Amino acid sequence: MVSILYLSFLVVWISILLLKASVIRGADKIAFEPRERNSEDRKQLNDFIRERECIESISDITLKYEALMEWNERFNLFLAEGIAARKSDRSQHNVVDLLHYTKKH
Amino acid sequence: MFANYVDELHSLNTWIWCLSLVAPILMFSKRLGSRSYYITAITWLITQFINLRIESYLFALSKEAGFIFWFGSWATIDAISITLIYAFHVQLKAKVEFEAMSVMIAYAFLGMVQIIYYFDAVVIQTRIFESAYQIAINTGNVVITLILTLPLCKALYQRLRSTLAKRREAS
């Protein structure tokens, strides 16, 4: 008799929990931040930095201005592509580094 | 055909433990999966480990003290597993995802099978569901493992698709 009562209690308990769980159904947060998969982007960023350093060393002010404008245009495009990629598939363009670099210069 | 199916399931059960251990580890290494997935996977792994450890002791105990301990214990473990999954979700304010809900339903199914078979084999002593019991328990374990492996397969498929799309774009 006790065993039947206990097993009946288990049935009721399981049913209640399933009903309660169905109330909080939905999409949950990702448990861990994805690792950086941006070795290619990192290489591209380093290229940008090197290029910028070369531009900084140009003594002719008109040439320097033109080179800076052209560099800036390509750099912004790279930045925008990174943000778009991050939004679409969570791939990690290191936007923080880029912004940090642009602030410095 | 059914006898073969049961035998195959028994041998498959050995590999289930490995697969259900490997799937969450791979998910973690790839930084995939939600909190809900890990709650479910960890609960399943712990209960599987406990099941493997206590099976022989429980069988010896139930032979002496009655089979309520055998069926009652499995059903209790299933109920506790559901409670743990639900309680962790509530504690972490996590949403119950497809995998968690499916595993909870599978646990409920496994628990119900134990209870029904207890009534069938011990209380009424008809043993109508003897083969159904073996098939249901083993199939339940296989289903839970497949549910835990599903997000990994999905992520691998998506990664393969994006790699192929990138290659197509490059060419």
Side-chain angles (χ1 to χ4, degrees):
Chain A
M1 188 62 193
V2 178
S3 63
I4 292 169
L5 273 175
Y6 175 66
L7 293 177
S8 309
F9 160 75
L10 281 184
V11 172
V12 175
W13 180 242
I14 289 170
S15 311
I16 289 170
L17 281 177
L18 285 182
L19 281 174
K20 280 186 151 192
S22 64
V23 175
I24 52 167
R25 281 205 65 183
D28 192 39
K29 274 194 270 182
I30 299 261
F32 305 100
E33 281 298 313
R35 277 206 193 101
E36 287 189 14
R37 301 198 305 265
N38 60 350
S39 57
E40 202 180 303
D41 305 325
R42 172 67 65 185
K43 197 171 153 277
Q44 228 173 323
L45 172 66
N46 289 339
D47 289 344
F48 269 114
I49 292 170
R50 268 196 296 275
E51 209 179 322
R52 177 69 183 245
E53 278 163 2
C54 288
I55 293 167
E56 292 293 336
S57 65
I58 298 172
S59 53
D60 187 319
I61 195 87
T62 321
L63 276 177
K64 188 176 175 177
Y65 177 76
E66 275 176 10
L68 264 176
M69 282 292 113
E70 194 264 338
W71 180 91
N72 202 38
E73 202 173 301
R74 283 187 294 116
F75 186 68
N76 282 340
L77 192 69
F78 172 68
L79 204 65
E81 275 175 1
I83 293 165
R86 194 175 184 177
K87 272 182 185 167
S88 65
D89 69 357
R90 293 173 191 273
S91 79
Q92 294 267 302
H93 276 256
N94 212 326
V95 177
V96 179
D97 283 2
L98 294 173
L99 292 174
H100 180 69
Y101 180 78
T102 46
K103 265 183 195 171
K104 263 171 72 181
H105 292 78
Chain B
M1 187 195 160
F2 260 142
N4 273 345
Y5 179 66
V6 173
D7 287 342
E8 290 297 320
L9 277 177
H10 272 304
S11 54
L12 202 67
N13 252 342
T14 319
W15 295 101
I16 283 170
W17 166 248
C18 300
L19 194 64
S20 51
L21 185 69
V22 167
I25 291 171
L26 279 176
M27 288 284 284
F28 173 71
S29 70
K30 296 281 171 194
R31 293 288 193 273
L32 297 166
S34 59
R35 295 176 305 168
S36 175
Y37 173 82
Y38 287 103
I39 291 169
T40 315
I42 290 165
T43 311
W44 165 248
L45 287 173
I46 291 168
T47 51
Q48 277 292 294
F49 182 71
I50 293 168
N51 287 357
L52 288 170
R53 299 292 299 170
I54 66 165
E55 195 171 6
S56 53
Y57 302 111
L58 206 60
F59 192 71
L61 175 75
S62 52
K63 259 186 157 180
E64 280 178 23
F67 271 91
I68 178 62
F69 286 100
W70 177 260
F71 298 105
S73 300
W74 296 134
T76 307
I77 289 172
D78 292 331
I80 289 170
S81 305
I82 296 172
T83 312
L84 282 175
I85 294 174
Y86 175 73
F88 280 127
H89 276 87
V90 171
Q91 189 71 27
L92 296 170
K93 293 189 173 79
K95 293 277 183 186
V96 176
E97 285 197 336
F98 166 76
E99 292 86 23
M101 197 65 207
S102 307
V103 170
M104 283 170 99
I105 291 168
Y107 268 128
F109 168 76
L110 290 172
M112 294 300 171
V113 167
Q114 300 285 359
I115 292 166
I116 289 167
Y117 191 59
Y118 172 74
F119 279 100
D120 175 44
V122 182
V123 179
I124 313 168
Q125 295 187 336
T126 48
R127 287 182 178 270
I128 302 167
F129 298 114
E130 194 171 357
S131 55
Y133 170 75
Q134 284 183 329
I135 293 165
I137 294 296
N138 289 301
T139 308
N141 291 343
V142 174
V143 167
I144 291 178
T145 305
L146 288 178
I147 291 165
L148 291 179
T149 324
L150 206 66
L152 182 70
C153 298
K154 202 177 148 190
L156 290 175
Y157 172 70
Q158 277 174 351
R159 193 158 289 180
L160 187 75
R161 266 187 68 179
S162 67
T163 313
L164 287 174
K166 273 180 191 170
R167 275 189 193 171
R168 222 173 288 144
E169 261 178 41
S171 64

